[in-house]
Amino acid sequence: MTRRLGSGSLVIATHNAGKLKEISALLEPYGLTCLSAGALGLPEPAETGTTFAQNALIKAQAAAEASGLPALADDSGLSVDALGGRPGVYTADWAERQWFEGQPGRDWFMAMGKVEGLLQQVGPDADRSCAFHCTLALAWPDGEYAVYEGTAPGTLTWPPRGELGFGYDPVFVPQGRDRTFAEIDPEEKHAISHRADAFAKLVAEQFG
């Protein structure tokens, strides 16, 4: 049987404020106090894996070992059918690191433009089917871990639409909807996102 989380503190192994907010909201009903790796001053480990699961585990295990607390990490990305599944595990790398108002960040508009540019090269009839993927890795300081995977299928649109969300959300229209992830309320997105799919599996096993 998979080890279960108790109540108390859980390190969210991210320096991304948007991701921390989403994950904290999903975990709030279960009595966990979420702390970010960034707030604890933990370094970001090199993501040297070739799969979402490998990269999520690298981050979760590093945070658990450094903090002495259970840690949860996600590795998520966009796969585009017409681009052979790219950008995939390199989704964040396509958003080159920039500095905004003195703070490190990534240029997501550049990343969205790169995806669109490649689709334009494929041609006007390029398949715009895609999916967001999320792998959650839960790690304990003693080395035990569990992995949960989720998916949200959809299509890409252009130009970007909406001011909510983060990352590639302004160009992603989830299956069965006509608005992008950046145009729908966070509560609605939480119910249908790739992260929500992975979290449903985590919750079923950890708190069910």
Side-chain angles (χ1 to χ4, degrees):
M1 181 176 178
T2 299
R3 184 173 180 175
R4 286 177 176 247
L5 279 171
S7 60
S9 297
L10 177 69
V11 177
I12 309 301
T14 185
H15 289 64
N16 182 312
K19 189 175 290 187
L20 172 66
K21 185 176 180 180
E22 281 197 8
I23 292 175
S24 297
L26 288 163
L27 288 174
E28 186 176 5
Y30 304 102
L32 290 164
T33 300
C34 295
L35 311 168
S36 76
L40 293 174
L42 304 182
E44 294 183 85
E47 298 178 33
T48 56
T50 58
T51 67
F52 294 122
Q54 289 172 352
N55 283 335
L57 275 170
I58 287 170
K59 291 182 282 189
Q61 290 173 330
E65 292 171 7
S67 67
L69 294 167
L72 180 69
D74 99 323
D75 198 59
S76 53
L78 177 71
S79 64
V80 181
D81 291 2
L83 304 183
R86 293 182 295 165
V89 295
Y90 305 106
T91 293
D93 295 334
W94 282 26
E96 295 181 13
R97 290 187 181 274
Q98 304 286 337
W99 284 82
F100 299 97
E101 298 179 352
Q103 298 295 321
R106 291 184 184 273
D107 189 337
W108 291 105
F109 283 100
M110 177 186 294
M112 289 185 281
K114 184 173 182 178
V115 170
E116 182 62 23
L118 289 171
L119 282 174
Q120 293 291 337
Q121 290 180 25
V122 173
D125 298 323
D127 182 3
R128 302 185 74 85
S129 300
C130 62
F132 271 131
H133 302 274
C134 173
T135 298
L136 296 171
L138 182 59
W140 284 265
D142 63 5
E144 191 167 349
Y145 66 87
V147 172
Y148 309 91
E149 296 182 303
T151 304
T155 57
L156 291 174
T157 189
W158 193 261
R161 308 196 314 255
E163 302 295 329
L164 304 173
F166 59 94
Y168 293 79
D169 285 356
V171 294
F172 180 82
V173 179
Q175 192 174 74
R177 308 296 174 103
D178 57 9
R179 293 178 297 159
T180 71
F181 264 174
E183 293 178 302
I184 62 178
D185 291 335
E187 293 78 10
E188 185 179 351
K189 176 187 172 183
H190 289 165
I192 62 173
S193 74
H194 50 307
R195 194 163 288 116
D197 186 29
F199 261 95
K201 296 168 183 174
L202 180 152
V203 167
E205 188 167 85
Q206 290 292 320
F207 306 106

